[in-house]
Amino acid sequence: MAEPAVRIPDAKVALSTASVYPESTATAFEIAARLGYDGVEVMVWTDPVSQDIEALRRLSDYHQIPVLAVHAPCLLITQRVWSTDPWTKLQRARAAAEKLDASTVVVHPPFRWQRQYARDFVAGIWRMANETDVRFAVENMYPWRYRDREMLAYAPDWDVTKDDYRHFTIDLSHTATARADALDMVDRMGDRLGHVHLADGRGSAKDEHLVPGRGTQPCAEVLERLALTGFDGHVVIEVNTRRAMSSAEREADLAEALAFTRLHLASAMKVPRR
């Protein structure tokens, strides 16, 4: 009997709620369900619904779309969301993930001015990871640049592979901004890579989060490598659609990103017919 021409990998493809901004968290659930995403990653930020576990549960149940990951409120604009204490933020993110049956909490390394937090971060993430089945996947960042000046804004380092974490998130828009080799970073993360933020970039000083295939990052090659190595984490579409002229244009971008991701995850799994 002939084997199937394509084996579909176990990785699930999710939509980040940040991908619909300035639309709401609720809209992200609706779009994810309509386009056929496997789930959502909730970016916890200033939208009150993103901070409300019961509201998120109702959206998940109504749209029949699971929450696969929770992105802790680590951004500059979310410094007061879920407390001003960074460890409290992570504890609340873990509790949210546990209550929503999400497998992963995404967290950024500290800003350098968060000195005590940065000093204890690596050990603290290990301690929290040992207390739960939820993965704390620490995300690669990038140097901040202005003209010919570069500022190292994150500690211990924007390149999280320089430190010892149980799980990593790789973000391909961030590798573009850092002008880092994404495939080399995937290799350095190895089997500790548990989560992917898929987006593209052209190496600008801005964190662009382009639709995959519209920049210079090896998005297709990364997906194919993940498929070949049996990656069973989540691939999350985290793109910037703020310039979309309409809801229909935004949805078309998100449909294109999903199709790109599924195509390249599957293309690496082709086997010859017998």
Side-chain angles (χ1 to χ4, degrees):
M1 182 177 179
E3 291 189 15
V6 175
R7 298 195 309 275
I8 303 301
D10 292 333
K12 292 183 177 180
V13 183
L15 179 66
S16 169
T17 59
S19 294
V20 307
Y21 183 83
E23 300 276 5
S24 67
T25 300
T27 299
F29 277 84
E30 178 186 345
I31 292 175
R34 186 162 57 244
L35 294 181
Y37 278 83
D38 298 317
V40 299
E41 174 179 302
V42 173
M43 171 70 81
V44 180
W45 57 1
T46 53
D47 181 348
V49 171
S50 74
Q51 305 169 30
D52 186 330
I53 295 170
E54 289 308 313
L56 294 169
R57 195 198 309 277
R58 288 194 295 272
L59 284 169
S60 178
D61 290 344
Y62 179 79
H63 292 289
Q64 291 296 289
I65 192 87
V67 177
L68 299 179
V70 174
H71 195 309
C74 308
L75 307 177
L76 284 172
I77 63 168
T78 59
Q79 289 185 85
R80 296 185 178 279
V81 173
W82 279 0
S83 168
T84 56
D85 176 66
W87 291 115
T88 300
K89 291 173 182 282
L90 295 191
Q91 289 163 1
R92 292 190 64 172
R94 179 186 67 191
E98 290 171 343
K99 291 176 182 176
L100 294 166
D101 293 323
S103 66
T104 303
V105 168
V106 178
V107 56
H108 293 180
F111 294 112
R112 295 187 76 87
W113 55 84
Q114 296 175 301
R115 293 181 182 177
Q116 186 61 47
Y117 179 45
R119 189 176 301 120
D120 299 336
F121 184 69
V122 177
I125 289 293
W126 271 101
R127 183 176 62 251
M128 294 190 73
N130 287 332
E131 295 170 350
T132 180
D133 291 331
V134 174
R135 293 178 172 183
F136 282 87
V138 186
E139 183 174 3
N140 63 300
M141 299 305 291
Y142 47 84
W144 289 3
R145 293 191 181 92
Y146 178 71
R147 296 182 179 175
D148 59 346
R149 297 182 180 181
E150 184 174 288
M151 183 177 82
L152 300 179
Y154 299 96
D157 203 283
W158 64 264
D159 181 352
V160 293
T161 64
K162 293 182 179 179
D163 291 288
D164 181 28
Y165 301 109
R166 181 174 292 170
H167 293 109
F168 293 114
T169 297
I170 190 168
D171 184 306
L172 271 67
S173 178
H174 295 176
T175 58
T177 305
R179 298 167 190 168
D181 185 321
L183 289 167
D184 181 60
M185 184 170 285
V186 167
D187 288 342
R188 294 201 307 276
M189 289 179 172
D191 60 7
R192 292 183 293 169
L193 175 59
H195 202 71
V196 176
H197 281 169
L198 192 68
D200 216 330
R202 302 188 188 98
S204 163
K206 296 180 180 178
D207 184 17
E208 296 172 287
H209 284 275
L210 304 177
V211 171
R214 298 184 186 177
T216 60
Q217 291 302 285
C219 297
E221 292 88 343
V222 166
L223 290 169
E224 290 163 9
R225 184 169 299 187
L226 294 175
L228 288 170
T229 56
F231 178 76
D232 61 357
H234 305 321
V235 178
V236 178
I237 304 301
E238 190 183 76
V239 295
N240 183 345
T241 63
R242 280 175 287 181
R243 293 187 178 180
M245 300 301 291
S246 66
S247 296
E249 184 177 330
R250 173 173 294 108
E251 195 162 321
D253 283 346
L254 298 177
E256 178 184 330
L258 177 61
F260 179 100
T261 304
R262 290 226 166 105
L263 170 66
H264 290 288
L265 279 173
S267 65
M269 305 301 288
K270 289 181 181 177
V271 296
R273 293 180 182 275
R274 293 180 179 177

